[in-house]
Amino acid sequence: GDRVRIANFDAAEIDEWGGKSATQKLKNLIEGEEVELKKAVNIDRGRVVCDVYYNGTDIKDQLN
């Protein structure tokens, strides 16, 4: 249930232009799936900032 921000990935916030479509793209990819969180660096607006891996691949590579 914790919120995560993908480290070193520039995505629009939900209330900005493109934010809702970016959120939907990520939901379509990983909602209900297990992901691996690595290298947590800090907390940003209540979100853990870390690298996120899905199926052994950095999620950033799957979102670009």
Side-chain angles (χ1 to χ4, degrees):
D2 290 333
R3 296 184 49 167
V4 171
R5 180 173 175 262
I6 301 168
N8 302 310
F9 187 76
D10 188 23
E13 296 293 332
I14 192 73
D15 60 341
E16 296 175 343
W17 185 88
K20 289 182 182 175
S21 63
T23 299
Q24 190 60 52
K25 184 174 183 176
L26 185 59
K27 277 185 171 185
N28 291 344
L29 182 62
I30 64 169
E31 187 170 44
E33 302 293 334
E34 284 191 31
V35 296
E36 186 176 359
L37 307 179
K38 296 182 179 182
K39 301 180 189 172
V41 291
N42 65 0
I43 304 292
D44 174 49
R45 294 180 235 172
R47 301 172 292 185
V48 175
V49 180
C50 59
D51 293 333
V52 180
Y53 287 79
Y54 173 63
N55 285 337
T57 304
D58 191 330
I59 198 79
K60 290 185 293 265
D61 296 336
Q62 297 179 41
L63 291 173
N64 287 325

Short mmCIF file of all heavy atoms in Angstrom, two decimals:
data_model
loop_
_atom_site.label_atom_id
_atom_site.label_comp_id
_atom_site.label_asym_id
_atom_site.label_seq_id
_atom_site.Cartn_x
_atom_site.Cartn_y
_atom_site.Cartn_z
N GLY A 1 0.79 -1.20 0.00
CA GLY A 1 0.00 0.00 0.00
C GLY A 1 0.83 1.26 0.00
O GLY A 1 0.27 2.32 -0.13
N ASP A 2 2.16 1.16 0.16
CA ASP A 2 2.97 2.37 0.15
C ASP A 2 3.12 2.88 -1.28
O ASP A 2 3.14 2.12 -2.23
CB ASP A 2 4.35 2.09 0.73
CG ASP A 2 4.31 1.84 2.22
OD1 ASP A 2 3.39 2.35 2.89
OD2 ASP A 2 5.20 1.14 2.71
N ARG A 3 3.26 4.18 -1.37
CA ARG A 3 3.46 4.79 -2.69
C ARG A 3 4.94 4.88 -3.00
O ARG A 3 5.75 5.13 -2.13
CB ARG A 3 2.81 6.17 -2.70
CG ARG A 3 1.29 6.05 -2.53
CD ARG A 3 0.65 7.36 -2.62
NE ARG A 3 1.16 8.00 -3.83
CZ ARG A 3 0.63 9.07 -4.38
NH1 ARG A 3 -0.41 9.62 -3.86
NH2 ARG A 3 1.15 9.61 -5.46
N VAL A 4 5.27 4.70 -4.26
CA VAL A 4 6.66 4.68 -4.70
C VAL A 4 6.82 5.66 -5.85
O VAL A 4 5.96 5.77 -6.72
CB VAL A 4 7.06 3.25 -5.16
CG1 VAL A 4 8.42 3.24 -5.82
CG2 VAL A 4 7.02 2.29 -3.98
N ARG A 5 7.93 6.35 -5.86
CA ARG A 5 8.32 7.19 -7.00
C ARG A 5 9.55 6.52 -7.61
O ARG A 5 10.50 6.18 -6.91
CB ARG A 5 8.67 8.60 -6.54
CG ARG A 5 9.09 9.50 -7.67
CD ARG A 5 9.26 10.95 -7.19
NE ARG A 5 9.75 11.74 -8.26
CZ ARG A 5 11.03 12.07 -8.43
NH1 ARG A 5 11.95 11.65 -7.58
NH2 ARG A 5 11.40 12.78 -9.46
N ILE A 6 9.53 6.31 -8.91
CA ILE A 6 10.65 5.67 -9.60
C ILE A 6 11.82 6.64 -9.65
O ILE A 6 11.68 7.76 -10.16
CB ILE A 6 10.23 5.24 -11.01
CG1 ILE A 6 9.05 4.28 -10.95
CG2 ILE A 6 11.41 4.61 -11.75
CD1 ILE A 6 8.39 4.02 -12.29
N ALA A 7 12.96 6.22 -9.12
CA ALA A 7 14.14 7.07 -9.08
C ALA A 7 14.65 7.38 -10.49
O ALA A 7 14.60 6.53 -11.38
CB ALA A 7 15.25 6.38 -8.27
N ASN A 8 15.10 8.60 -10.67
CA ASN A 8 15.72 9.04 -11.93
C ASN A 8 14.80 8.85 -13.13
O ASN A 8 15.27 8.53 -14.23
CB ASN A 8 17.05 8.32 -12.14
CG ASN A 8 18.00 8.55 -11.01
OD1 ASN A 8 18.22 9.70 -10.61
ND2 ASN A 8 18.55 7.48 -10.48
N PHE A 9 13.50 9.03 -12.92
CA PHE A 9 12.54 8.93 -14.01
C PHE A 9 11.63 10.14 -13.94
O PHE A 9 10.99 10.38 -12.92
CB PHE A 9 11.72 7.64 -13.90
CG PHE A 9 10.82 7.40 -15.08
CD1 PHE A 9 11.33 6.95 -16.28
CD2 PHE A 9 9.46 7.63 -14.99
CE1 PHE A 9 10.52 6.73 -17.36
CE2 PHE A 9 8.63 7.40 -16.07
CZ PHE A 9 9.17 6.95 -17.26
N ASP A 10 11.59 10.91 -15.00
CA ASP A 10 10.80 12.13 -15.03
C ASP A 10 9.43 11.85 -15.65
O ASP A 10 9.32 11.68 -16.86
CB ASP A 10 11.53 13.22 -15.82
CG ASP A 10 10.85 14.57 -15.72
OD1 ASP A 10 10.11 14.78 -14.75
OD2 ASP A 10 11.06 15.40 -16.62
N ALA A 11 8.43 11.76 -14.78
CA ALA A 11 7.05 11.56 -15.25
C ALA A 11 6.20 12.68 -14.68
O ALA A 11 6.48 13.21 -13.60
CB ALA A 11 6.52 10.21 -14.78
N ALA A 12 5.17 13.03 -15.41
CA ALA A 12 4.26 14.08 -14.96
C ALA A 12 3.54 13.64 -13.69
O ALA A 12 3.20 12.47 -13.53
CB ALA A 12 3.25 14.39 -16.05
N GLU A 13 3.31 14.60 -12.79
CA GLU A 13 2.48 14.34 -11.62
C GLU A 13 1.04 14.16 -12.10
O GLU A 13 0.67 14.62 -13.18
CB GLU A 13 2.57 15.49 -10.62
CG GLU A 13 3.96 15.70 -10.02
CD GLU A 13 4.40 14.56 -9.13
OE1 GLU A 13 3.53 13.89 -8.53
OE2 GLU A 13 5.61 14.33 -9.03
N ILE A 14 0.23 13.49 -11.31
CA ILE A 14 -1.14 13.13 -11.71
C ILE A 14 -1.96 14.34 -12.13
O ILE A 14 -2.79 14.25 -13.03
CB ILE A 14 -1.84 12.31 -10.60
CG1 ILE A 14 -3.14 11.69 -11.11
CG2 ILE A 14 -2.10 13.16 -9.37
CD1 ILE A 14 -2.94 10.54 -12.04
N ASP A 15 -1.72 15.50 -11.52
CA ASP A 15 -2.52 16.69 -11.83
C ASP A 15 -1.92 17.53 -12.97
O ASP A 15 -2.48 18.55 -13.35
CB ASP A 15 -2.70 17.55 -10.58
CG ASP A 15 -1.39 18.03 -9.98
OD1 ASP A 15 -0.34 17.44 -10.28
OD2 ASP A 15 -1.42 18.99 -9.20
N GLU A 16 -0.82 17.09 -13.54
CA GLU A 16 -0.20 17.79 -14.65
C GLU A 16 -0.61 17.15 -15.98
O GLU A 16 -1.08 16.02 -16.01
CB GLU A 16 1.33 17.72 -14.53
CG GLU A 16 1.88 18.44 -13.32
CD GLU A 16 3.38 18.26 -13.17
OE1 GLU A 16 3.97 17.35 -13.78
OE2 GLU A 16 3.97 19.03 -12.42
N TRP A 17 -0.38 17.89 -17.09
CA TRP A 17 -0.69 17.36 -18.41
C TRP A 17 0.10 16.08 -18.62
O TRP A 17 1.30 16.03 -18.40
CB TRP A 17 -0.33 18.39 -19.49
CG TRP A 17 -0.74 17.95 -20.85
CD1 TRP A 17 -1.95 18.15 -21.43
CD2 TRP A 17 0.04 17.20 -21.77
NE1 TRP A 17 -1.97 17.59 -22.67
CE2 TRP A 17 -0.76 16.98 -22.92
CE3 TRP A 17 1.31 16.68 -21.76
CZ2 TRP A 17 -0.30 16.29 -24.03
CZ3 TRP A 17 1.76 15.98 -22.86
CH2 TRP A 17 0.95 15.80 -23.98
N GLY A 18 -0.57 15.03 -19.02
CA GLY A 18 0.06 13.74 -19.27
C GLY A 18 0.15 12.84 -18.05
O GLY A 18 0.52 11.67 -18.17
N GLY A 19 -0.16 13.37 -16.88
CA GLY A 19 -0.04 12.60 -15.65
C GLY A 19 -0.99 11.42 -15.58
O GLY A 19 -0.61 10.32 -15.18
N LYS A 20 -2.22 11.63 -16.00
CA LYS A 20 -3.20 10.53 -15.94
C LYS A 20 -2.84 9.42 -16.92
O LYS A 20 -2.96 8.24 -16.59
CB LYS A 20 -4.61 11.06 -16.20
CG LYS A 20 -5.13 11.87 -15.04
CD LYS A 20 -6.53 12.36 -15.27
CE LYS A 20 -6.94 13.21 -14.07
NZ LYS A 20 -8.23 13.83 -14.25
N SER A 21 -2.37 9.77 -18.10
CA SER A 21 -2.01 8.72 -19.07
C SER A 21 -0.75 7.98 -18.62
O SER A 21 -0.64 6.77 -18.82
CB SER A 21 -1.84 9.31 -20.47
OG SER A 21 -0.78 10.23 -20.52
N ALA A 22 0.19 8.69 -17.98
CA ALA A 22 1.40 8.03 -17.46
C ALA A 22 1.03 7.05 -16.35
O ALA A 22 1.54 5.92 -16.30
CB ALA A 22 2.39 9.06 -16.94
N THR A 23 0.12 7.46 -15.49
CA THR A 23 -0.34 6.59 -14.40
C THR A 23 -1.04 5.36 -14.97
O THR A 23 -0.80 4.23 -14.52
CB THR A 23 -1.29 7.35 -13.46
OG1 THR A 23 -0.58 8.46 -12.89
CG2 THR A 23 -1.83 6.46 -12.37
N GLN A 24 -1.86 5.56 -15.98
CA GLN A 24 -2.58 4.43 -16.58
C GLN A 24 -1.63 3.45 -17.26
O GLN A 24 -1.80 2.24 -17.16
CB GLN A 24 -3.63 4.93 -17.59
CG GLN A 24 -4.56 3.85 -18.07
CD GLN A 24 -5.35 3.21 -16.94
OE1 GLN A 24 -5.97 3.90 -16.15
NE2 GLN A 24 -5.32 1.89 -16.85
N LYS A 25 -0.61 3.97 -17.92
CA LYS A 25 0.38 3.10 -18.57
C LYS A 25 1.08 2.22 -17.55
O LYS A 25 1.25 1.01 -17.75
CB LYS A 25 1.39 3.94 -19.34
CG LYS A 25 2.38 3.13 -20.13
CD LYS A 25 3.27 4.03 -20.97
CE LYS A 25 4.22 3.20 -21.81
NZ LYS A 25 5.03 4.01 -22.70
N LEU A 26 1.46 2.83 -16.42
CA LEU A 26 2.12 2.06 -15.36
C LEU A 26 1.17 1.04 -14.75
O LEU A 26 1.55 -0.11 -14.52
CB LEU A 26 2.67 3.00 -14.29
CG LEU A 26 3.50 2.36 -13.20
CD1 LEU A 26 4.71 1.64 -13.77
CD2 LEU A 26 3.92 3.40 -12.18
N LYS A 27 -0.08 1.43 -14.52
CA LYS A 27 -1.08 0.49 -13.99
C LYS A 27 -1.26 -0.69 -14.92
O LYS A 27 -1.32 -1.84 -14.47
CB LYS A 27 -2.42 1.19 -13.79
CG LYS A 27 -2.55 1.95 -12.52
CD LYS A 27 -3.97 2.49 -12.40
CE LYS A 27 -4.20 3.09 -11.03
NZ LYS A 27 -5.60 3.50 -10.86
N ASN A 28 -1.35 -0.43 -16.20
CA ASN A 28 -1.52 -1.52 -17.17
C ASN A 28 -0.35 -2.49 -17.14
O ASN A 28 -0.53 -3.68 -17.40
CB ASN A 28 -1.69 -0.96 -18.58
CG ASN A 28 -2.99 -0.24 -18.79
OD1 ASN A 28 -3.94 -0.37 -18.01
ND2 ASN A 28 -3.05 0.57 -19.83
N LEU A 29 0.82 -1.99 -16.82
CA LEU A 29 2.01 -2.83 -16.82
C LEU A 29 2.16 -3.65 -15.54
O LEU A 29 2.46 -4.84 -15.60
CB LEU A 29 3.25 -1.95 -17.01
CG LEU A 29 4.59 -2.65 -17.07
CD1 LEU A 29 4.65 -3.61 -18.27
CD2 LEU A 29 5.71 -1.63 -17.19
N ILE A 30 1.90 -3.04 -14.37
CA ILE A 30 2.26 -3.74 -13.13
C ILE A 30 1.16 -3.88 -12.09
O ILE A 30 1.39 -4.52 -11.06
CB ILE A 30 3.48 -3.07 -12.46
CG1 ILE A 30 3.17 -1.65 -12.03
CG2 ILE A 30 4.70 -3.16 -13.35
CD1 ILE A 30 4.22 -1.03 -11.14
N GLU A 31 -0.01 -3.32 -12.31
CA GLU A 31 -1.05 -3.41 -11.27
C GLU A 31 -1.36 -4.87 -10.94
O GLU A 31 -1.57 -5.69 -11.83
CB GLU A 31 -2.33 -2.70 -11.70
CG GLU A 31 -3.35 -2.63 -10.59
CD GLU A 31 -4.51 -1.72 -10.92
OE1 GLU A 31 -5.02 -1.80 -12.06
OE2 GLU A 31 -4.89 -0.95 -10.04
N GLY A 32 -1.30 -5.20 -9.66
CA GLY A 32 -1.56 -6.56 -9.21
C GLY A 32 -0.36 -7.50 -9.33
O GLY A 32 -0.45 -8.66 -8.96
N GLU A 33 0.75 -7.01 -9.85
CA GLU A 33 1.95 -7.81 -10.04
C GLU A 33 2.95 -7.52 -8.92
O GLU A 33 2.87 -6.49 -8.26
CB GLU A 33 2.61 -7.48 -11.39
CG GLU A 33 1.72 -7.70 -12.58
CD GLU A 33 1.38 -9.16 -12.83
OE1 GLU A 33 2.18 -10.03 -12.41
OE2 GLU A 33 0.33 -9.44 -13.42
N GLU A 34 3.90 -8.41 -8.73
CA GLU A 34 4.97 -8.18 -7.78
C GLU A 34 6.11 -7.45 -8.47
O GLU A 34 6.46 -7.78 -9.60
CB GLU A 34 5.50 -9.50 -7.21
CG GLU A 34 4.58 -10.11 -6.19
CD GLU A 34 5.23 -11.26 -5.45
OE1 GLU A 34 6.47 -11.24 -5.27
OE2 GLU A 34 4.48 -12.15 -5.06
N VAL A 35 6.64 -6.45 -7.79
CA VAL A 35 7.80 -5.72 -8.28
C VAL A 35 8.88 -5.78 -7.21
O VAL A 35 8.61 -6.05 -6.05
CB VAL A 35 7.47 -4.26 -8.64
CG1 VAL A 35 6.48 -4.19 -9.78
CG2 VAL A 35 6.97 -3.50 -7.43
N GLU A 36 10.10 -5.55 -7.62
CA GLU A 36 11.22 -5.51 -6.69
C GLU A 36 11.70 -4.07 -6.55
O GLU A 36 11.91 -3.38 -7.56
CB GLU A 36 12.35 -6.39 -7.22
CG GLU A 36 13.50 -6.53 -6.27
CD GLU A 36 14.57 -7.49 -6.78
OE1 GLU A 36 14.41 -8.06 -7.88
OE2 GLU A 36 15.58 -7.62 -6.09
N LEU A 37 11.84 -3.61 -5.31
CA LEU A 37 12.31 -2.26 -5.05
C LEU A 37 13.75 -2.33 -4.59
O LEU A 37 14.09 -3.12 -3.72
CB LEU A 37 11.45 -1.60 -3.97
CG LEU A 37 9.94 -1.61 -4.22
CD1 LEU A 37 9.22 -0.96 -3.06
CD2 LEU A 37 9.59 -0.94 -5.54
N LYS A 38 14.60 -1.51 -5.20
CA LYS A 38 16.03 -1.51 -4.87
C LYS A 38 16.52 -0.08 -4.68
O LYS A 38 15.97 0.86 -5.26
CB LYS A 38 16.85 -2.13 -6.00
CG LYS A 38 16.56 -3.59 -6.27
CD LYS A 38 17.47 -4.11 -7.37
CE LYS A 38 17.23 -5.57 -7.66
NZ LYS A 38 18.15 -6.07 -8.69
N LYS A 39 17.57 0.05 -3.91
CA LYS A 39 18.28 1.32 -3.73
C LYS A 39 17.37 2.48 -3.34
O LYS A 39 17.40 3.54 -3.98
CB LYS A 39 19.06 1.68 -5.00
CG LYS A 39 20.09 0.68 -5.43
CD LYS A 39 20.79 1.15 -6.68
CE LYS A 39 21.67 0.06 -7.25
NZ LYS A 39 22.22 0.43 -8.54
N ALA A 40 16.58 2.32 -2.30
CA ALA A 40 15.75 3.43 -1.83
C ALA A 40 16.67 4.58 -1.42
O ALA A 40 17.62 4.37 -0.68
CB ALA A 40 14.89 2.99 -0.66
N VAL A 41 16.39 5.76 -1.94
CA VAL A 41 17.29 6.89 -1.69
C VAL A 41 16.70 7.92 -0.73
O VAL A 41 17.45 8.56 0.00
CB VAL A 41 17.74 7.57 -3.00
CG1 VAL A 41 18.66 6.65 -3.77
CG2 VAL A 41 16.57 7.97 -3.85
N ASN A 42 15.40 8.14 -0.76
CA ASN A 42 14.79 9.09 0.16
C ASN A 42 13.27 9.01 0.08
O ASN A 42 12.72 8.14 -0.59
CB ASN A 42 15.29 10.52 -0.11
CG ASN A 42 14.89 11.06 -1.47
OD1 ASN A 42 14.22 10.40 -2.24
ND2 ASN A 42 15.29 12.28 -1.75
N ILE A 43 12.63 9.96 0.73
CA ILE A 43 11.18 10.07 0.72
C ILE A 43 10.84 11.39 0.04
O ILE A 43 11.42 12.43 0.35
CB ILE A 43 10.60 10.06 2.15
CG1 ILE A 43 11.03 8.82 2.92
CG2 ILE A 43 9.09 10.21 2.12
CD1 ILE A 43 10.45 7.53 2.42
N ASP A 44 9.91 11.38 -0.92
CA ASP A 44 9.48 12.57 -1.63
C ASP A 44 7.96 12.64 -1.59
O ASP A 44 7.29 11.76 -2.15
CB ASP A 44 9.98 12.52 -3.08
CG ASP A 44 9.45 13.67 -3.92
OD1 ASP A 44 9.55 14.82 -3.46
OD2 ASP A 44 8.94 13.40 -5.02
N ARG A 45 7.43 13.65 -0.91
CA ARG A 45 5.97 13.82 -0.80
C ARG A 45 5.29 12.53 -0.34
O ARG A 45 4.26 12.13 -0.89
CB ARG A 45 5.38 14.30 -2.10
CG ARG A 45 5.84 15.70 -2.47
CD ARG A 45 5.25 16.15 -3.76
NE ARG A 45 6.36 16.52 -4.61
CZ ARG A 45 6.25 16.82 -5.87
NH1 ARG A 45 5.10 16.77 -6.47
NH2 ARG A 45 7.30 17.15 -6.56
N GLY A 46 5.89 11.87 0.63
CA GLY A 46 5.32 10.65 1.19
C GLY A 46 5.57 9.39 0.37
O GLY A 46 5.07 8.33 0.70
N ARG A 47 6.36 9.50 -0.68
CA ARG A 47 6.65 8.34 -1.54
C ARG A 47 8.10 7.92 -1.37
O ARG A 47 8.99 8.75 -1.31
CB ARG A 47 6.40 8.68 -3.00
CG ARG A 47 4.98 9.12 -3.29
CD ARG A 47 4.83 9.63 -4.68
NE ARG A 47 5.57 10.89 -4.83
CZ ARG A 47 5.56 11.64 -5.91
NH1 ARG A 47 4.87 11.27 -6.97
NH2 ARG A 47 6.23 12.76 -5.97
N VAL A 48 8.33 6.61 -1.31
CA VAL A 48 9.68 6.09 -1.30
C VAL A 48 10.25 6.25 -2.72
O VAL A 48 9.59 5.88 -3.69
CB VAL A 48 9.69 4.59 -0.91
CG1 VAL A 48 11.08 4.01 -1.01
CG2 VAL A 48 9.14 4.40 0.49
N VAL A 49 11.42 6.82 -2.84
CA VAL A 49 12.08 6.99 -4.14
C VAL A 49 13.10 5.87 -4.29
O VAL A 49 14.02 5.76 -3.48
CB VAL A 49 12.76 8.37 -4.26
CG1 VAL A 49 13.42 8.52 -5.62
CG2 VAL A 49 11.75 9.49 -4.02
N CYS A 50 12.92 5.02 -5.29
CA CYS A 50 13.82 3.87 -5.46
C CYS A 50 13.76 3.35 -6.89
O CYS A 50 12.91 3.76 -7.68
CB CYS A 50 13.45 2.76 -4.48
SG CYS A 50 11.76 2.17 -4.67
N ASP A 51 14.68 2.45 -7.20
CA ASP A 51 14.63 1.74 -8.47
C ASP A 51 13.56 0.67 -8.37
O ASP A 51 13.41 0.02 -7.34
CB ASP A 51 15.98 1.10 -8.78
CG ASP A 51 17.07 2.12 -9.03
OD1 ASP A 51 16.77 3.24 -9.47
OD2 ASP A 51 18.25 1.79 -8.79
N VAL A 52 12.81 0.49 -9.45
CA VAL A 52 11.72 -0.49 -9.47
C VAL A 52 11.99 -1.48 -10.60
O VAL A 52 12.24 -1.07 -11.74
CB VAL A 52 10.36 0.19 -9.68
CG1 VAL A 52 9.24 -0.83 -9.71
CG2 VAL A 52 10.10 1.24 -8.60
N TYR A 53 11.93 -2.76 -10.27
CA TYR A 53 12.17 -3.82 -11.25
C TYR A 53 10.93 -4.69 -11.38
O TYR A 53 10.30 -5.04 -10.39
CB TYR A 53 13.36 -4.68 -10.84
CG TYR A 53 14.68 -3.96 -11.03
CD1 TYR A 53 15.11 -3.02 -10.10
CD2 TYR A 53 15.46 -4.20 -12.15
CE1 TYR A 53 16.30 -2.34 -10.27
CE2 TYR A 53 16.65 -3.52 -12.33
CZ TYR A 53 17.06 -2.60 -11.39
OH TYR A 53 18.24 -1.92 -11.58
N TYR A 54 10.59 -5.03 -12.62
CA TYR A 54 9.47 -5.91 -12.92
C TYR A 54 9.96 -6.97 -13.89
O TYR A 54 10.55 -6.63 -14.92
CB TYR A 54 8.31 -5.11 -13.52
CG TYR A 54 7.18 -5.95 -14.00
CD1 TYR A 54 6.45 -6.73 -13.11
CD2 TYR A 54 6.83 -5.98 -15.33
CE1 TYR A 54 5.39 -7.51 -13.55
CE2 TYR A 54 5.78 -6.75 -15.79
CZ TYR A 54 5.07 -7.52 -14.88
OH TYR A 54 4.03 -8.30 -15.32
N ASN A 55 9.76 -8.23 -13.54
CA ASN A 55 10.25 -9.35 -14.36
C ASN A 55 11.75 -9.24 -14.60
O ASN A 55 12.26 -9.53 -15.68
CB ASN A 55 9.52 -9.44 -15.70
CG ASN A 55 8.13 -10.00 -15.55
OD1 ASN A 55 7.83 -10.71 -14.59
ND2 ASN A 55 7.26 -9.69 -16.49
N GLY A 56 12.49 -8.77 -13.57
CA GLY A 56 13.94 -8.68 -13.65
C GLY A 56 14.49 -7.52 -14.45
O GLY A 56 15.69 -7.41 -14.65
N THR A 57 13.62 -6.65 -14.94
CA THR A 57 14.04 -5.53 -15.77
C THR A 57 13.67 -4.21 -15.10
O THR A 57 12.59 -4.08 -14.53
CB THR A 57 13.34 -5.59 -17.15
OG1 THR A 57 13.63 -6.85 -17.75
CG2 THR A 57 13.81 -4.48 -18.06
N ASP A 58 14.55 -3.24 -15.18
CA ASP A 58 14.28 -1.91 -14.64
C ASP A 58 13.03 -1.37 -15.33
O ASP A 58 12.94 -1.33 -16.57
CB ASP A 58 15.48 -1.00 -14.90
CG ASP A 58 15.40 0.30 -14.15
OD1 ASP A 58 14.28 0.80 -13.88
OD2 ASP A 58 16.47 0.86 -13.83
N ILE A 59 12.05 -0.97 -14.55
CA ILE A 59 10.77 -0.51 -15.08
C ILE A 59 10.94 0.70 -16.00
O ILE A 59 10.16 0.88 -16.94
CB ILE A 59 9.77 -0.22 -13.93
CG1 ILE A 59 8.33 -0.17 -14.43
CG2 ILE A 59 10.09 1.07 -13.22
CD1 ILE A 59 7.72 -1.49 -14.64
N LYS A 60 11.98 1.52 -15.77
CA LYS A 60 12.22 2.67 -16.64
C LYS A 60 12.40 2.24 -18.09
O LYS A 60 11.94 2.91 -19.01
CB LYS A 60 13.44 3.46 -16.16
CG LYS A 60 13.22 4.19 -14.87
CD LYS A 60 14.41 5.07 -14.51
CE LYS A 60 15.63 4.28 -14.20
NZ LYS A 60 15.91 3.97 -12.81
N ASP A 61 13.06 1.10 -18.29
CA ASP A 61 13.29 0.60 -19.64
C ASP A 61 11.99 0.16 -20.32
O ASP A 61 11.88 0.20 -21.54
CB ASP A 61 14.25 -0.59 -19.62
CG ASP A 61 15.64 -0.20 -19.13
OD1 ASP A 61 16.00 0.99 -19.23
OD2 ASP A 61 16.35 -1.10 -18.64
N GLN A 62 11.01 -0.24 -19.52
CA GLN A 62 9.73 -0.69 -20.07
C GLN A 62 8.75 0.46 -20.27
O GLN A 62 7.77 0.31 -20.99
CB GLN A 62 9.14 -1.74 -19.14
CG GLN A 62 10.01 -2.98 -19.03
CD GLN A 62 9.45 -4.02 -18.11
OE1 GLN A 62 8.26 -4.27 -18.09
NE2 GLN A 62 10.32 -4.65 -17.33
N LEU A 63 9.03 1.62 -19.68
CA LEU A 63 8.13 2.76 -19.80
C LEU A 63 8.56 3.73 -20.90
O LEU A 63 7.77 4.56 -21.33
CB LEU A 63 8.03 3.50 -18.47
CG LEU A 63 7.32 2.74 -17.37
CD1 LEU A 63 7.42 3.50 -16.05
CD2 LEU A 63 5.87 2.49 -17.72
N ASN A 64 9.80 3.68 -21.32
CA ASN A 64 10.27 4.62 -22.34
C ASN A 64 9.76 4.26 -23.71
O ASN A 64 9.39 3.22 -24.03
CB ASN A 64 11.80 4.68 -22.36
CG ASN A 64 12.32 5.42 -21.15
OD1 ASN A 64 11.70 6.37 -20.70
ND2 ASN A 64 13.43 4.97 -20.63
#
